[in-house]
């Protein structure tokens, strides 16, 4: 965690100096006040992001460490152009990395965890439900392959009937694989 903290600290200071909206006084004040821990450091770095980038990060944090753009597209409510700009911004700030195809991942799992923890319960539940419903739509031809993940998102959204349905589907799939 120490190397991650140092790297994030350097990125935060770089971001502060690269942000045109900040005047010299604000940049100096930021450089003088060091965050007390990794969470505070990450939250401080997030303060420099545009609203679409934050919106995308919130959805991504609820999806998990890795997140496909096809799923984000159904959850983040951004126009395609705004999503691309937000992804570029997050990549420039080294908060996310492009994996392969349309898959992205957080640069470090702590980034996603901190974002997830700062979401309100209402927002978190709402996003989990949206993600579960989007996964049902995206994987309509083969729900059994992702039924465990769908069930987990419905559970975290407190949609227990839907969660039970997809848990049963996942169990049936596991039983079939055993035979």
């Amino acid at each position: 965690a120490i190397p991650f903290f140092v790297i994030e600290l350097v990125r935060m200071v770089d971001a502060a100096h690269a942000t045109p909206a900040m005047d010299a006084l604000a940049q100096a004040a930021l450089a003088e006040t060091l965050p007390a821990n990794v969470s505070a450091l990450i939250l401080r770095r997030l303060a420099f992001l545009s609203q679409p980038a934050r919106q995308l990060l919130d959805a991504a944090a609820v999806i998990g460490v890795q997140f496909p753009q096809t799923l984000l597209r159904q959850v983040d409510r951004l126009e395609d152009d705004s999503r691309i700009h937000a992804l570029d911004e997050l990549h420039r700030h080294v908060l996310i990395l492009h994996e392969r195809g349309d898959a992205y991942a957080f640069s470090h799992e702590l980034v996603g965890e901190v974002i997830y923890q700062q979401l309100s319960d209402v927002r978190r539940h709402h996003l989990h439900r949206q993600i579960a419903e989007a996964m049902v739509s995206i994987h309509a031809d083969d729900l059994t392959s992702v039924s465990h993940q769908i069930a987990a998102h419905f559970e975290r959204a407190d949609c227990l009937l839907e969660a039970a349905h997809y848990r049963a589907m996942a169990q049936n799939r596991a039983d079939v694989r055993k035979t």
Side-chain angles (χ1 to χ4, degrees):
I2 299 282
F4 177 71
F5 185 77
V6 171
I7 290 168
E8 289 301 301
L9 189 59
V10 169
R11 287 180 180 154
M12 181 202 71
V13 172
D14 282 348
H17 292 291
T19 303
M22 291 186 69
D23 61 17
L25 184 61
Q27 288 178 0
L30 178 69
E32 289 176 13
T33 58
L34 296 177
N37 57 39
V38 173
S39 294
L41 176 61
I42 292 169
L43 290 172
R44 178 135 351 133
R45 286 191 60 218
L46 299 178
F48 298 105
L49 298 176
S50 67
Q51 183 58 36
R54 278 308 312 263
Q55 187 176 342
L56 195 142
L57 271 183
D58 289 352
V62 175
I63 293 169
V65 175
Q66 294 180 317
F67 43 93
Q69 188 176 340
T70 50
L71 185 52
L72 279 176
R73 186 177 302 120
Q74 294 214 9
V75 177
D76 65 25
R77 308 275 192 232
L78 296 172
E79 297 292 326
D80 286 342
D81 213 32
S82 293
R83 181 178 311 97
I84 299 302
H85 287 297
L87 287 169
D88 286 345
E89 178 182 353
L90 295 171
H91 194 265
R92 271 194 320 277
H93 286 276
V94 197
L95 290 165
I96 65 168
L97 305 170
H98 183 252
E99 297 275 288
R100 62 180 174 214
D102 84 334
Y104 288 85
F106 285 102
S107 58
H108 194 282
E109 66 185 54
L110 287 175
V111 174
E113 287 178 27
V114 168
I115 295 165
Y116 186 84
Q117 293 304 318
Q118 61 87 35
L119 294 171
S120 70
D121 287 343
V122 172
R123 179 86 173 125
R124 198 177 303 138
H125 287 139
H126 176 73
L127 285 168
H128 274 297
R129 183 180 185 101
Q130 281 187 300
I131 290 162
E133 290 170 349
M135 289 180 77
V136 168
S137 173
I138 292 168
H139 300 283
D141 293 340
D142 185 20
L143 288 172
T144 58
S145 67
V146 292
S147 56
H148 180 74
Q149 292 139 312
I150 294 170
H153 283 292
F154 273 131
E155 282 175 3
R156 291 181 186 125
D158 287 333
C159 300
L160 302 182
L161 290 175
E162 292 92 337
H165 171 75
Y166 288 99
R167 281 275 175 233
M169 188 181 290
Q171 185 61 48
N172 288 341
R173 181 174 192 234
D175 290 346
V176 168
R177 289 182 139 194
K178 287 181 185 176
T179 59

